[in-house]
Each structure stands twice: as C-alpha cells, then as structure tokens.
Amino acid sequence: ETGVTQSPTHLIKTRGQQVTLRCSSQSGHNTVSWYQQALGQGPQFIFQYYREEENGRGNFPPRFSGLQFPNYSSELNVNALELDDSALYLCASSRDHPEQFFGPGTRLTVL
Amino acid sequence: QKEVEQDPGPLSVPEGAIVSLNCTYSNSAFQYFMWYRQYSRKGPELLMYTYSSGNKEDGRFTAQVDKSSKYISLFIRDSQPSDSATYLCAMSRTGANSKLTFGKGITLSVRP
C-alpha cells in the first residue's frame, strides 16, 4: 500500500510569485485535505476535496485554490505569495472515515 | 480562545518514565479525537484515534477522552528515546471527511 506522497519536498519563491504543490493520496482514498503548518504551530485547515469538488474551506483567502483529479491526486495553488505564506504545507488523505493520513509535506520559503 | 488548547512545552523526561500529554477544547461538537506524532521536518503520523468518551490502549500508548470536561490525554508508558518528537492532538466534529482542528503541539524529549 502506497502512502501519501507530496512534491516538491521544498522550494523557495519570492513575494508576488505563484506556486503549485502536488499530492498523491494513499491508495483507495477519495478525499484530500490540505493544511498549513507554520513553525511551532499545529496544522491549520486550508480546504478539502472530495470526488473532485471542494468540500469545506478554512479561513484562507481566495488566492489559495486547489484541484482534485479523477485519480484523487490533488494540487494546491497559491497566487501572489506573501512572506507569511512561508510554512510546511501538508496534504492528508482519507476515505469515508475521520482518520486522515499525512504526507511528508512541502516546505515553502517566501523571500 | 482557541478551539483546542494543548499544554505548553517543551517536556523532558528520563527514559522509562510515564508521560502524560493533555489537550482541552471548547467546542462540544467535537466527536472524534486523534493523536499524531511528528518528527522534525516530517509529516504528522497518526498514533491513536478515539470516538467520543472513553479509553483506548495500543501497546505503550493509552488515549483518554472525557467529553464532560472537554479534556483528552495521551499516556506513554516506559518512554523511549525514540518517542522524542512533537505530539499533536486533533479533533473533528462529524465523521467521514471532516476537517481536523489541531492543538499547537508539545515537544517531548526522552533522555537516555
């Protein structure tokens, strides 16, 4: 059974740029949730995708957007990057169950 | 007030000690309670999952939920240096596909 994978592992961007992060869900899982984890904090819910539709959103501005594909993989896009967007971005997958399984994360640094 | 509060750290204990990690919450709608372990620069790993009030044991780990007090705990018996990590409590309201609300996390160090 393949776990959740994310790419890239880390990247560096400058303010105002755009970034796309990718996630492959665990085999058999149909739901992907994205979280932002700032240094020293717990993860904060960004949004969730279920069967290619957004299924809930946290307190993040519209410049955070996402997609889910028919194979249940997902993308997180962030436009107009700000310094405060620097964080670990985590993807979690699940299937009709409260337990969510996380990937290793993408560490984004905005300069 | 944050929805989920977690005891501040860091916490340092000698090997073999019993560790108690705690979280309180304010939202009575939370029904599902989870503990995650996160090693440095890694994603959170699910340790324990509990529904509603009660205890659940898995090896050296025991999770307790007291919904009347809005208080959850994770106990680690016979702690090992490999248990050194950040521990995060997380909760959700409904069942399937519900967002998780996390505590801030507490960093545990187990000294050999």
Side-chain angles (χ1 to χ4, degrees):
Chain A
E1 184 178 86
T2 306
V4 179
T5 60
Q6 291 186 245
S7 63
T9 304
H10 57 269
L11 71 168
I12 300 173
K13 292 285 188 178
T14 57
R15 276 184 303 174
Q17 285 189 310
Q18 178 266 343
V19 68
T20 297
L21 310 181
R22 295 178 176 82
C23 170
S24 291
S25 60
Q26 186 166 316
S27 177
H29 287 186
N30 56 13
T31 302
V32 171
S33 303
W34 286 92
Y35 294 81
Q36 180 196 65
Q37 187 177 23
L39 196 62
Q41 302 295 317
Q44 298 292 312
F45 176 73
I46 303 174
F47 45 57
Q48 181 183 87
Y49 279 84
Y50 172 66
R51 295 187 177 179
E52 303 179 59
E53 297 286 331
E54 188 176 291
N55 183 45
R57 188 178 183 93
N59 189 26
F60 281 82
R63 59 189 185 85
F64 285 78
S65 63
L67 282 174
Q68 187 179 33
F69 300 99
N71 66 355
Y72 302 128
S73 66
S74 177
E75 284 183 356
L76 163 66
N77 299 290
V78 187
N79 294 323
L81 284 167
E82 300 177 359
L83 295 179
D84 284 350
D85 295 335
S86 295
L88 180 68
Y89 288 85
L90 296 162
C91 163
S93 74
S94 57
R95 183 182 178 91
D96 305 326
H97 204 271
E99 297 159 284
Q100 296 184 17
F101 298 88
F102 285 82
T106 294
R107 186 161 298 280
L108 172 65
T109 301
V110 183
L111 301 176
Chain B
Q1 182 190 11
K2 288 192 172 183
E3 280 190 289
V4 179
E5 300 277 1
Q6 190 164 356
D7 284 352
L11 181 62
S12 180
V13 301
E15 184 175 354
I18 296 174
V19 177
S20 171
L21 307 175
N22 308 297
C23 288
T24 58
Y25 62 95
S26 58
N27 189 338
S28 57
F30 286 137
Q31 298 280 351
Y32 297 86
F33 305 90
M34 279 147 270
W35 286 94
Y36 285 85
R37 177 174 63 195
Q38 186 174 27
Y39 291 111
S40 180
R41 299 189 171 273
K42 303 289 186 183
E45 170 196 8
L46 181 63
L47 276 178
M48 303 280 289
Y49 149 66
T50 311
Y51 169 67
S52 197
S53 286
N55 293 358
K56 186 173 184 179
E57 188 172 321
D58 184 1
R60 297 184 295 109
F61 298 88
T62 299
Q64 283 187 353
V65 175
D66 181 349
K67 289 192 70 180
S68 62
S69 302
K70 297 189 179 67
Y71 190 90
I72 71 169
S73 299
L74 177 70
F75 297 95
I76 307 174
R77 290 184 299 280
D78 187 26
S79 56
Q80 303 294 311
S82 59
D83 295 328
S84 298
T86 295
Y87 289 80
L88 297 152
C89 61
M91 310 176 187
S92 66
R93 286 182 281 183
T94 59
N97 306 330
S98 181
K99 72 168 188 177
L100 296 178
T101 301
F102 282 85
K104 188 177 177 179
I106 183 170
T107 299
L108 170 67
S109 175
V110 181
R111 308 186 302 272

